[in-house]
């Protein structure tokens, strides 16, 4: 297992990638450690909204994430997200580790990779164990900014939306914030689907962040007034009560938002189960490892097969030490498209060339 570091600008945490490799004499700048026994990929699974809501603690500590607009003209992005220390406290207080590693028969947690370990080191990536979803990665902000600036977030209403490798779900939160800031839509339904490798990520950060986005939106005004709570503009704590959860689900229904959550590997992702193709598919910071690219690209290709679609990928140009990056991704798109005698095109729609180079790309299948 090795670590490598690079500095990240714009106020986002430093990133650390962890990869299972055989140690070599040339690996002077890496820290080698055992990753334990051979792991098998988590299978595709759906986690119901009610199950995720029931797993919430009695209160959530949160703060606001602000990011400048990519074009410098639109309002800055401002979203509420759960504090990681609060998720850590939840695990400690409940005496639980990683939901994926619990053996119900034994009543104990084998703890190969307990969620608590990765909350303490959210930037560590261990293939088939933990894929970095607890951390907010800088390219997710780039993607959210592009969705907002180009009007895609506003136009997502009434569409089918899929975020792959969602983690803290910043791009999806941008879309949800837009929908919940508008009047209820009547019969128009927006299907928003969030996928992450780890069920624990969906429980600890994705679902809480979705709830916080509603709570800090105009859709929750009536609830906040009824609770005489004027703390939405400061870092605060949200008390989770049956009344709040009822108001949340009522708002989702009134705005036609249908949320579904999926965990497991991309190899086993089942589009038939999720309802077929999508209008809007996006992912950020997921192309760092070449071995996972084919399964990711195949999902994107198949998910964009029927409707008029928009497929976006945000990433660093190069992920040093791992082998992934934009060039490898482009080659994979062309290769996967060729499996069916088709073509694949990747177009850069936004780029940051200073410091750590980052891009937002649009993928077209021809």
């Amino acid at each position: 297992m090795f670590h490598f570091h690079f500095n990240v600008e714009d106020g986002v945490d430093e990133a650390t990638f962890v990869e299972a490799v055989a140690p070599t004499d040339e690996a002077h700048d890496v820290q080698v450690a055992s990753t334990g026994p051979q792991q098998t990929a988590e299978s595709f699974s759906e986690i119901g909204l009610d199950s995720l809501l029931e797993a919430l603690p009695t209160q959530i500590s949160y703060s606001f994430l602000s990011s400048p607009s990519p074009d410098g003209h639109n309002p800055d992005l401002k979203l509420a997200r759960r504090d990681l220390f609060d998720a850590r406290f939840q695990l400690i207080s409940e005496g639980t580790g990683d939901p994926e590693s619990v053996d119900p028969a034994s009543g104990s947690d084998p703890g190969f990779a307990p969620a608590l370990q990765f909350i303490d080191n959210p930037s560590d990536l261990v293939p088939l164990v933990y894929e970095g979803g607890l951390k907010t990665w800088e390219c997710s902000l780039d993607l959210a900014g592009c969705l907002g600036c180009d009007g895609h977030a506003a136009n997502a209403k009434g569409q089918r939306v899929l975020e792959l490798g969602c983690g803290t779900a910043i791009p999806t939160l941008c879309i949800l914030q837009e929908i919940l800031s508008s009047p209820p839509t009547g019969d128009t339904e927006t299907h928003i689907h969030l996928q992450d490798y780890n069920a624990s990520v969906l429980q600890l950060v994705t679902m809480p962040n979705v709830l916080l986005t509603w709570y800090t939106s105009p859709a929750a005004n009536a609830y906040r007034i009824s609770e005489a709570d004027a703390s939405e503009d400061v870092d605060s704590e949200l008390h989770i009560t049956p009344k709040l959860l009822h108001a949340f689900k009522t708002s989702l229904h009134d705005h036609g938002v249908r949320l579904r959550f999926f965990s497991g590997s991309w190899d086993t992702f089942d589009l038939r189960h999720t309802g077929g193709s999508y209008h809007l598919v996006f992912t950020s910071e997921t192309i760092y490892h070449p071995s996972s690219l084919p399964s990711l690209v195949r999902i994107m290709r198949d998910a964009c097969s029927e409707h008029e679609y928009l497929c976006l990928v945000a990433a660093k140009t190069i992920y040093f030490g791992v082998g992934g990056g934009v060039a490898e991704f482009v080659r994979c798109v062309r290769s996967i498209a060729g499996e069916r005698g088709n073509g694949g095109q990747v177009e850069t729609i936004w780029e940051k060339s200073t410091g750590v180079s980052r891009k937002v790309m649009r993928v077209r299948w021809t």
Side-chain angles (χ1 to χ4, degrees):
M1 180 169 64
F2 70 77
H3 304 248
F4 65 92
H5 305 267
F6 51 85
N7 292 326
V8 177
E9 300 175 355
D10 300 330
V12 182
D13 299 335
E14 182 183 83
T16 306
F17 291 84
V18 179
E19 170 68 3
V21 297
T24 67
D25 293 338
E26 290 78 16
H28 300 297
D29 297 326
V30 302
Q31 303 173 28
V32 179
S34 171
T35 57
Q38 181 67 36
Q39 294 295 298
T40 57
E42 294 290 335
S43 297
F44 172 83
S45 179
E46 179 168 6
I47 305 174
L49 174 63
D50 287 339
S51 295
L52 290 170
L53 293 176
E54 290 170 2
L56 291 171
T58 56
Q59 66 181 33
I60 293 175
S61 173
Y62 69 95
S63 54
F64 283 94
L65 171 70
S66 296
S67 179
S69 168
D71 63 5
H73 302 297
N74 285 276
D76 291 352
L77 176 69
K78 184 178 181 182
L79 294 167
R81 61 172 176 172
R82 187 183 191 183
D83 296 319
L84 262 187
F85 73 80
D86 186 61
R88 185 179 192 278
F89 177 77
Q90 177 185 346
L91 289 178
I92 292 174
S93 63
E94 294 176 352
T96 58
D98 190 339
E100 290 97 5
S101 64
V102 174
D103 180 0
S106 66
S108 62
D109 182 355
F112 174 80
L116 187 58
Q117 170 189 346
F118 296 108
I119 283 182
D120 290 338
N121 301 281
S123 301
D124 287 1
L125 278 68
V126 181
L128 305 183
V129 177
Y130 166 72
E131 297 289 350
L134 293 169
K135 171 183 161 60
T136 296
W137 300 89
E138 51 273 21
C139 289
S140 68
L141 302 177
D142 301 336
L143 180 53
C146 287
L147 288 171
C149 291
D150 295 340
H152 301 307
N155 294 332
K157 189 180 299 183
Q159 297 189 337
R160 283 174 52 82
V161 178
L162 172 64
E163 181 171 5
L164 295 165
C166 64
T168 58
I170 299 301
T172 292
L173 301 185
C174 178
I175 291 174
L176 191 60
Q177 183 183 67
E178 187 77 31
I179 293 173
L180 296 177
S181 298
S182 304
T185 55
D187 295 333
T188 302
E189 290 190 352
T190 305
H191 294 262
I192 297 178
H193 296 178
L194 296 122
Q195 181 275 339
D196 194 272
Y197 182 81
N198 296 102
S200 54
V201 167
L202 297 173
Q203 174 185 325
L204 292 170
V205 293
T206 309
M207 184 70 254
N209 287 353
V210 168
L211 181 64
L212 288 166
T213 298
W214 163 78
Y215 178 72
T216 56
S217 76
N221 282 346
Y223 174 80
R224 291 197 303 272
I225 292 172
S226 71
E227 296 297 299
D229 188 342
S231 64
E232 63 267 23
D233 292 326
V234 298
D235 296 353
S236 189
E237 291 183 344
L238 175 63
H239 294 272
I240 310 297
T241 64
K243 181 180 178 181
L244 178 139
L245 297 180
H246 176 74
F248 168 66
K249 291 197 287 186
T250 299
S251 286
L252 292 181
H253 179 269
D254 292 345
H255 285 80
V257 175
R258 305 292 182 259
L259 294 173
R260 293 176 71 181
F261 301 83
F262 308 102
S263 64
S265 70
W266 293 324
D267 283 328
T268 60
F269 191 85
D270 188 351
L271 278 169
R272 293 171 300 178
H273 180 85
T274 68
S277 61
Y278 294 83
H279 301 92
L280 179 56
V281 178
F282 50 85
T283 187
S284 59
E285 301 274 21
T286 54
I287 67 170
Y288 56 87
H289 201 296
S291 67
S292 64
L293 284 178
S295 56
L296 172 63
V297 173
R298 286 190 183 97
I299 292 177
M300 291 191 293
R301 178 197 63 189
D302 296 344
C304 299
S305 61
E306 296 179 12
H307 305 291
E308 182 178 348
Y309 64 87
L310 177 66
C311 183
L312 299 177
V313 177
K316 296 179 180 67
T317 303
I318 300 174
Y319 290 91
F320 294 102
V322 180
V326 170
E328 185 68 23
F329 172 72
V330 172
R331 284 193 290 270
C332 188
V333 167
R334 292 171 179 167
S335 174
I336 297 301
E339 291 178 349
R340 297 180 177 175
N342 298 322
Q345 298 178 349
V346 180
E347 171 194 4
T348 298
I349 63 172
W350 179 87
E351 183 172 8
K352 175 181 176 293
S353 56
T354 58
V356 177
S357 177
R358 310 196 301 267
K359 293 184 177 185
V360 177
M361 301 166 284
R362 178 172 184 172
V363 183
R364 289 185 172 91
W365 311 98
T366 59

